[in-house]
Amino acid sequence: MAQETSAPEKLWRNRNFMLLWFGQGAGTLGPQMAMVALPLLALQVLHAGTFQVSLLTSVGWLPYLLFSSRPESSRTGSTSGRS
């Protein structure tokens, strides 16, 4: 008796995949657009100078810097020689 195998479902027709794909896209696009739009709004509306816009951009990148790096002591497999 031969087993019947159904054709694999196309990924683009899978509802769960599409929800994940659009959700990830919107979650990535929003902050990236804000990183572009916020300095432009500061220039246009607040008449901010070059230093102020660069400071605003730097502060916008600060959470990525702070929360994406791990301290040396929390890395697995690190040997410091101390007990």
Side-chain angles (χ1 to χ4, degrees), residues 22-36:
F22 280 114
Q24 287 292 328
T28 302
L29 186 62
Q32 294 299 321
M33 290 298 293
M35 292 296 288
V36 171

Side-chain angles (χ1 to χ4, degrees), residues 3 7 11-12 15-16 19-20 23-24 35 47 54-55 61 64 73-74:
Q3 292 182 0
L11 200 53
W12 294 107
R15 182 180 184 274
N16 290 333
L19 288 172
L20 173 71
Q24 287 292 328
M35 292 296 288
H47 305 290
S54 62
L55 184 65
W61 282 101
Y64 295 105
S73 62
S74 70

Side-chain angles (χ1 to χ4, degrees), residues 26-72:
T28 302
L29 186 62
Q32 294 299 321
M33 290 298 293
M35 292 296 288
V36 171
L38 196 58
L40 291 176
L41 283 173
L43 281 172
Q44 194 70 17
V45 175
L46 301 175
H47 305 290
T50 306
F51 177 74
Q52 293 167 328
V53 171
S54 62
L55 184 65
L56 182 65
T57 304
S58 299
V59 169
W61 282 101
L62 191 62
Y64 295 105
L65 177 67
L66 292 177
F67 298 119
S68 65
S69 62
R70 297 186 305 176
E72 186 68 31

